[in-house]
Amino acid sequence: MAPKRLLVLCGGRSAEHEVSLLSARNVVAAVPPDRMQVTVVGITRSGAWLRYPGNRFLVHEGDASRVALAPEGTPVALCCRDGRGWLASLEGGGGWPVDVAFPVLHGTYGEDGTVQGLLALAGVPFVGCDHASSANCMDKAVTKQLLRAAGIGVAPGLVVSRRDLPVEAERVASVLGWPVFVKPARLGSSVGISKVAGPEQLAEAVEKALRFDGKVLVEGFMRGREIECAVLGNDAARASVPGEVVPLREFYSYEAKYLDAEGARLDMPARLEAETVRRVQDTAVAAFQALGCSGMARVDFFLLDDGRLVVNEINTIPGFTDISMYPRLWQLSGLTYPGLVEELVRLAEARHAAQNALCTEFA
Ligand SMILES: Nc1ncnc2c1ncn2[C@@H]1O[C@H](COP(=O)(O)OP(=O)(O)O)[C@@H](O)[C@H]1O
Ligand SMILES: [Mg+2]
């Protein structure tokens, strides 16, 4: 059988551009060469799509702070040709067929349903959640509503936009108490997030978050441990062993995630009792299903001091860097990196086939 033509999309227009490149390098390295032929398309910070044959798409790849897309990619656009995906060259015509895509993009214009919608329109099976569940998981306020409706525990919170200003500190205090977390509703990497100890700092924190997103979440402080669980599958999704993030500073900030090696410790697997592991896994799968996820997601929890389990957020394109939880939790659960990539591609194709088999005539 001819190898599948796998399109790996990386880079992108979000603050997590470099993280995406580091993730994509690992995904590309894990693709079994006898069964899949990789083409990388790097999306520049300004949104241009550049195609690289094979795996030479980065410069400074050994240096996380300088890694960047190589400049010599061919400009391309994705479209649909004869009912399937086609990367059209914007230089000199021609192009390349695409059998399946793996968007390794994080945050805005990558993890939020936009790219997923484009891939669906182009008729390309793709790894990970569809456009609707991606968009719902990107918006922490919507995620909260859908989880709550499914009977899953979430942190109490208030949604604020400019029309609600000024936010009344008494109202926040009466609903949530202090401290609170203030965060942009649709962003990642801890950008724009503040921990607010009392009423004096509230307005500034809300203003800061509003600079990144017109929709802001003010959330009650969850005192406890941060547990993460990887979920894999379509209708029959399963959960990995859980891991734990132990922030060694005030919280799991942007610096702790990407810059400061001393900022957080990752325990994989998390030290938990068997009963708690089961509860985390069951809730992770329930949350995945409540948001209509498919393929993959990492479900992040707070395990509160009183034993309650609260879902903090669902990441639909988790990191695949060297230190990332998602692939490592699967390794601990018995699935190798190449095995994981193959399974994700298989799930992408299965969902696409199921979608195509749906009835489209209503006579
Ligand atoms: N309600 C909360 N209570 C306690 N800590 C929180 C709360 N919300 C966020 N945090 C801290 O801030 C970090 C980033 O917040 P999170 O909502 O996960 O945003 P992001 O999508 O940027 O990862 C979390 O990992 C945690 O350390
Ligand atoms: Mg988070």
Side-chain angles (χ1 to χ4, degrees):
M1 213 169 68
K4 276 189 230 316
R5 288 156 298 200
L6 173 70
L7 167 64
V8 171
L9 283 168
C10 62
R13 293 162 65 186
S14 80
E16 291 144 303
H17 182 92
E18 283 84 10
V19 183
S20 157
L21 298 182
L22 296 173
S23 289
R25 185 187 58 177
N26 287 350
V27 169
V28 169
V31 171
D34 51 327
R35 289 195 287 286
M36 290 183 227
Q37 183 192 330
V38 178
T39 296
V40 174
V41 165
I43 303 177
T44 66
R45 288 183 181 288
S46 53
W49 287 39
L50 300 178
R51 175 184 182 272
Y52 304 86
N55 54 12
R56 300 244 299 272
F57 62 104
L58 296 177
V59 290
H60 308 304
E61 63 179 282
D63 179 351
S65 61
R66 290 173 68 213
V67 64
L69 283 172
E72 58 268 10
T74 307
V76 289
L78 180 71
C79 56
C80 183
R81 185 176 179 179
D82 301 329
R84 58 191 306 176
W86 179 255
L87 273 179
S89 170
L90 301 182
E91 274 177 4
W96 301 269
V98 175
D99 293 325
V100 58
F102 192 152
V104 189
L105 297 159
H106 305 306
T108 317
Y109 303 125
E111 200 173 348
D112 58 0
T114 50
V115 166
Q116 290 71 17
L118 177 62
L119 289 164
L121 277 174
V124 180
F126 60 93
V127 167
C129 295
D130 68 9
H131 63 282
S133 55
S134 298
N136 288 337
C137 290
M138 187 75 200
D139 186 325
K140 293 183 165 93
V142 173
T143 306
K144 210 186 270 298
Q145 283 175 322
L146 292 174
L147 290 173
R148 198 181 276 133
I152 296 168
V154 292
L158 302 169
V159 177
V160 174
S161 59
R162 287 224 172 265
R163 66 171 177 270
D164 305 311
L165 299 184
V167 180
E168 284 174 35
E170 301 82 63
R171 177 157 166 259
V172 169
S174 69
V175 181
L176 306 171
W178 303 107
V180 292
F181 264 78
V182 178
K183 46 179 114 167
R186 297 160 291 196
L187 215 64
S189 287
S190 301
V191 173
I193 297 190
S194 311
K195 182 178 177 182
V196 174
E200 315 75 43
Q201 305 150 19
L202 182 65
E204 191 185 326
V206 170
E207 200 50 54
K208 178 176 170 187
L210 279 171
R211 284 210 299 274
F212 295 97
D213 191 346
K215 187 175 182 185
V216 162
L217 204 53
V218 181
E219 228 176 38
F221 179 63
M222 297 292 100
R223 201 174 305 279
R225 296 164 66 183
E226 290 193 52
I227 305 294
E228 304 189 348
C229 188
V231 180
L232 177 67
N234 290 341
D235 290 334
R238 62 191 198 273
S240 71
V241 296
E244 178 167 8
V245 176
V246 185
L248 303 175
R249 308 264 189 266
E250 182 90 59
F251 64 95
Y252 197 27
S253 63
Y254 183 87
E255 287 72 23
K257 284 176 181 170
Y258 306 121
L259 304 175
D260 176 8
E262 311 291 306
R265 195 183 76 225
L266 304 181
D267 285 349
M268 292 178 260
R271 279 182 275 264
L272 296 170
E273 288 176 11
E275 181 273 331
T276 311
V277 169
R278 256 196 313 279
R279 213 151 42 93
V280 167
Q281 291 174 326
D282 291 349
T283 312
V285 171
F288 187 89
Q289 290 168 343
L291 270 290
C293 295
S294 50
M296 65 177 171
R298 197 190 71 226
V299 182
D300 295 354
F301 294 90
F302 296 115
L303 175 58
L304 304 187
D305 292 345
D306 63 11
R308 274 182 302 143
L309 202 54
V310 160
V311 174
N312 176 33
E313 60 162 339
I314 302 176
N315 292 286
T316 52
I317 308 186
F320 280 83
T321 70
D322 291 344
I323 57 161
S324 292
M325 279 264 189
Y326 189 88
R328 284 178 66 187
L329 290 177
W330 280 118
Q331 279 169 359
L332 288 175
S333 308
L335 193 54
T336 63
Y337 216 121
L340 174 60
V341 170
E342 265 198 284
E343 174 71 359
L344 286 167
V345 167
R346 192 189 65 74
L347 291 166
E349 291 172 329
R351 184 187 56 204
H352 189 77
Q355 187 69 29
N356 281 347
L358 292 176
C359 199
T360 51
E361 284 171 33
F362 309 103

